[in-house]
Amino acid sequence: MSPRSLGIFAFLTAAALTACSQSDKTESVTNIVETDMAQVSLALDYAQTPILDSIVLDIFGADTLHLVQSTKKTNFQFDLFPSNNCIFKAKLYANGTLMQTGEVETPLKAGENTQLQIQMHALIGFIYIRIPLGFGNKAGIESGLMTLKSSKETYQYQMSFEGDNGIFVSDNLALGVEYQILVELQDKAGDCIYSIKDTLLFNEDTPVPQLEIESLRDKVQLSIQVAAEVKLEVESLIPAGRPRVPEFGELVITEFFTAPQASDSTQYEFIELYNGTLDTLSLKNCSYGKSSKESDGVWVKDIQAAPKSFVVLGDISSKAPDSFKNTEKWIPLTNDKGNIVIQCNGILIDSLYYGKPDSIHVQTIPVAGTTNSNARSSQLNIEKWAQRADSASWTIKAPTPGAL
């Protein structure tokens, strides 16, 4: 994944008091003095990196300001007096250290509109590798080692686990150095089951080269030589490289919206499913309903769910986008409590009960229902997919079908 530019915009305003003439000074001090505002917008242009810590902005002019911003908040708003020489200095901290700096200098005049951009320059770099392991880590990866070797030095880093991903992060590395990189993944017995080797050159344009392993599967072609006197017919149930049928816990319900407002043309009922595996899953012969009785459900269209992607089942009779109308019919979801059951080939894949707890359902999924005047859906914290039966793994937020 190559770094891309990301703009952080800061909106600044500069104000100045209009100077008084000599005759003004002899008049009453109750005279009103008008002010002009100079609208200044500032953009920080830097190569996007993971593990961002903060952005520090220092301003030197008629005013002196020192701001420390979380990278999640991208807007600054404050008032500045005009200045003949105003300096903006920005620093980007990532991976626990100063990584990029930039500076721009400009005059600020009252009543003018000024647009500025700080071009950031990398000081150091580091390697960040994210390896999707899929729900349940079926590949059985227990550990990993990343080795970096330059002409002078060798470094090694162990893999850490973050949710359903393996993560490698190096220390800070000097720019302009070429490294040989070797990534090895081991199973429980310590045997290497996957490795990748590459050469990386750190420079200002790519201070954080990001590598993502897309698949941990090996495509195998097998040939069986049968003795001439034996007649044998072999049927391949799951051809290599083709979508397969989901198993329990591989295709999970991650969001559902039960109570759209009829007066809002943008709201519609939907159920969101997430493929947490590293395989493409076929939804042919899959259905959704309110009970385990398959005949009471409705069939999902013959579609496929790519690895780490969503499929949205939307109300086909309402305002849902065409790409979300993935069922032959639609069973309306009850607003305040009910069941959602997903089955494929008659086998339970995922289910949940939402609403208030009762004597039968002690643990339930929270739902906004009709008590909230604002649109709110029930959403699963994807990192807690294995605890999705726990109500604490869910939250009530504005609907986001098809996105985390």
Side-chain angles (χ1 to χ4, degrees), residues 17 29 38 49 154 179 230 296 384 386:
L17 297 177
V29 294
T49 68
T154 299
Y179 288 92
V230 178
D296 292 338
K384 298 182 179 180

Side-chain angles (χ1 to χ4, degrees), residues 154-318:
T154 299
Y155 305 97
Q156 289 190 322
Y157 304 94
Q158 296 290 334
M159 184 178 72
S160 62
F161 290 88
E162 187 177 290
D164 297 299
N165 300 291
I167 304 293
F168 287 104
V169 183
S170 74
D171 293 327
N172 298 315
L173 304 169
L175 300 181
V177 178
E178 185 175 86
Y179 288 92
Q180 296 284 338
I181 177 173
L182 174 64
V183 175
E184 298 175 300
L185 305 179
Q186 293 89 23
D187 61 12
K188 189 174 183 180
D191 296 327
C192 181
I193 59 177
Y194 189 93
S195 66
I196 182 174
K197 184 182 293 185
D198 204 348
T199 301
L200 298 175
L201 174 63
F202 287 85
N203 56 42
E204 191 169 304
D205 294 329
T206 57
V208 187
Q210 298 180 58
L211 305 179
E212 182 165 341
I213 298 174
E214 297 180 353
S215 176
L216 294 174
R217 288 191 176 272
D218 189 6
K219 294 183 179 180
V220 178
Q221 292 182 343
L222 178 63
S223 175
I224 300 177
Q225 184 65 44
V226 181
E229 66 273 11
V230 178
K231 293 183 179 179
L232 178 65
E233 293 182 359
V234 178
E235 180 182 2
S236 177
L237 299 179
I238 306 180
R242 295 186 180 180
R244 63 176 178 83
V245 178
E247 299 178 6
F248 174 77
E250 293 185 334
L251 191 69
V252 302
I253 303 167
T254 50
E255 184 178 359
F256 59 94
F257 185 31
T258 66
Q261 298 180 28
S263 59
D264 192 329
S265 61
T266 65
Q267 296 183 21
Y268 48 87
E269 290 186 356
F270 68 85
I271 301 168
E272 178 189 82
L273 307 176
Y274 181 69
N275 176 6
T277 74
L278 302 180
D279 296 326
T280 297
L281 301 179
S282 172
L283 273 65
K284 184 179 181 180
N285 297 327
C286 293
S287 65
Y288 100 87
K290 295 183 178 181
S291 71
S292 57
K293 191 175 181 181
E294 191 177 30
S295 59
D296 292 338
V298 297
W299 293 107
V300 178
K301 293 182 179 179
D302 185 4
I303 56 178
Q304 298 176 0
K308 300 289 184 178
S309 70
F310 294 96
V311 170
V312 177
L313 310 180
D315 184 353
I316 65 173
S317 62
S318 72

